[in-house]
Amino acid sequence: MLAEREPRLDAQRLLAELVPPPRFDAVRFSSYVPDRDQPSQARAVRALEEFAAGLGGPAPDGGRRRWFRGRAPERPSTPGGIYLDGGYGVGKTHLLASLWHATDAPAEQKAFGTFVELTNLVGALGFRPAVEALSSHRLVCIDEFELDDPGDTVLVSTLLARLAAAGVRLAATSNTLPGRLGEGRFAAADFMREIQGLSAQFTSLRIDGDDYRHRGLPQAPEPYADQQVTVAASRTPGAALDDFEPLVAHLAQVHPSRYGALVDGVDAVFLRGVRQVTDQAAALRLVVLADRLYDREVPVMASGVPFDRLFSAEMLSGGYRKKYFRAVSRLTSLARDSARLA
């Protein structure tokens, strides 16, 4: 049961895990399939390939860690950062991970993490040691930059400014700000404004398109009966079987930075009695859990309400709308993956 786990993390593990998650281990630019009706997708691939090619040469400061004494290195002539600007499901994370893989540098000289993972790293190490730990990197990729948390946005923007001054190249995707969601439109203006003085370092790549996980596919599959979920869990190696309400309560006791560790060694998740969530804090915790399950390609078999009804209509039209739609998209994909377990 996930609700019986209490994972612990240390700083060294946080550093070691700054790599693309398992779902994106094998992705490459060549495996990204651009939508023929969205030429911006193919253009983005070409631009990122050129960006990766420009990342050759020695790492900043010759690969040595330092405390930013003396004159900052000369800035590169090409933009030091690139921002992937698009809605959910257009493949931004696929392309960001492909950039990480295409960068000709040892794994210890490039980092890939979500905004939450980066803030957790700063919290675990302290700001100055985090700068030191990342300043020798050639590339730092930040997925899902959280524009709706002003304090953490300033913290990470300051961190990235220090890294950019050290010659580290940056790449990012982001969500949209609450109240500026429109119809799932783009966040480039919001992103550039929030990172303030750092924005000059970034070139924006717009990626149009629909959620690829649902191109021509049905919405969330019908949930199973409780008994079906229980039986399937009993015969599935590496299964975690939970009742939905106790799991939601347990998530409130575990920091979201530990949700990845929470599902370590779990090959499939089985949930009984999924209900619609109306509490905002509980809903946002479920968003993070959905992200970690999706990253690790853990199928989810569930009874109760279908995942496209997991969040209330009020939530799906509110300030965190984009996060909830992303979670529904990912959980629906994982629910489809669970069909083989039935």
Side-chain angles (χ1 to χ4, degrees):
M1 292 176 61
L2 297 180
E4 293 179 348
R5 295 183 167 207
E6 295 185 5
R8 294 290 182 265
L9 290 177
D10 58 31
Q12 289 306 312
R13 174 167 174 174
L14 289 173
L15 277 170
E17 290 186 344
L18 289 179
V19 297
R23 176 174 287 272
F24 299 99
D25 275 346
V27 301
R28 299 294 186 272
F29 291 130
S30 60
S31 63
Y32 181 81
V33 182
D35 187 337
R36 294 180 180 179
D37 295 328
Q38 304 292 347
S40 63
Q41 295 185 6
R43 287 196 297 268
V45 172
R46 291 193 296 271
L48 286 167
E49 288 174 331
E50 293 174 2
F51 187 78
L55 290 171
D61 199 35
R64 299 188 305 275
R65 295 181 179 180
R66 59 190 178 88
W67 290 102
F68 298 101
R69 288 191 292 265
R71 185 172 63 88
E74 185 177 343
R75 294 186 186 275
S77 57
T78 55
I82 200 158
Y83 170 68
L84 307 184
D85 174 27
Y88 58 87
V90 296
K92 297 191 305 295
T93 301
H94 182 133
L95 291 173
L96 194 66
S98 297
L99 173 62
W100 188 94
H101 288 299
T103 299
D104 185 16
E108 61 269 19
Q109 291 182 11
K110 50 187 179 178
F112 182 105
T114 63
F115 179 91
V116 171
E117 289 169 329
L118 206 57
T119 56
N120 291 336
L121 179 69
V122 174
L125 298 182
F127 182 80
R128 195 176 182 190
V131 171
E132 182 190 11
L134 296 173
S135 64
S136 62
H137 284 51
R138 193 170 298 167
L139 173 70
V140 171
C141 299
I142 310 99
D143 200 22
E144 298 168 11
F145 201 103
E146 298 283 353
L147 296 176
D148 47 29
D149 189 324
D152 282 347
T153 298
V154 171
L155 173 70
V156 176
S157 294
T158 305
L159 173 66
L160 297 185
R162 296 287 185 89
L163 297 180
V168 180
R169 299 296 188 92
L170 307 170
T173 71
S174 81
N175 62 17
T176 52
L177 283 168
R180 296 182 60 86
L181 296 167
E183 295 301 321
R185 300 303 297 173
F186 304 97
D190 293 331
F191 178 80
M192 297 303 180
R193 184 183 63 255
E194 293 300 314
I195 61 175
Q196 299 175 16
L198 190 60
S199 62
Q201 288 293 313
F202 281 85
T203 294
S204 176
L205 286 181
R206 178 165 171 164
I207 307 173
D208 299 284
D210 300 320
D211 186 344
Y212 79 93
R213 286 178 288 268
H214 304 305
R215 288 179 193 164
L217 295 175
Q219 294 302 305
E222 285 297 312
Y224 296 90
D226 286 352
Q227 182 64 15
Q228 288 177 293
V229 173
T230 303
V231 170
S234 68
R235 67 188 181 207
T236 302
L241 174 63
D242 285 84
D243 291 307
F244 185 73
E245 293 281 4
L247 176 60
V248 171
H250 181 63
L251 291 179
Q253 308 305 314
V254 180
H255 192 276
S257 66
R258 300 176 182 173
Y259 287 6
L262 184 71
V263 298
D264 277 354
V266 173
D267 296 321
V269 167
F270 296 82
L271 297 176
R272 290 182 300 215
V274 174
R275 64 164 180 82
Q276 188 172 88
V277 179
T278 56
D279 177 74
Q280 191 95 272
L284 290 172
R285 286 190 284 268
L286 286 170
V287 168
V288 178
L289 180 64
D291 287 341
R292 300 293 80 79
L293 292 172
Y294 184 78
D295 288 346
R296 289 158 174 77
E297 299 183 291
V298 178
V300 179
M301 183 177 180
S303 65
V305 302
F307 286 128
D308 54 9
R309 288 166 46 199
L310 179 61
F311 305 110
S312 68
E314 182 181 3
M315 287 182 173
L316 293 178
S317 61
Y320 296 105
R321 172 185 175 184
K322 186 174 182 181
K323 289 186 178 184
Y324 298 140
F325 271 95
R326 184 182 76 233
V328 168
S329 172
R330 291 182 167 185
L331 287 170
T332 296
S333 177
L334 297 177
R336 292 196 189 100
D337 293 343
S338 74
R340 58 183 171 80
L341 303 175

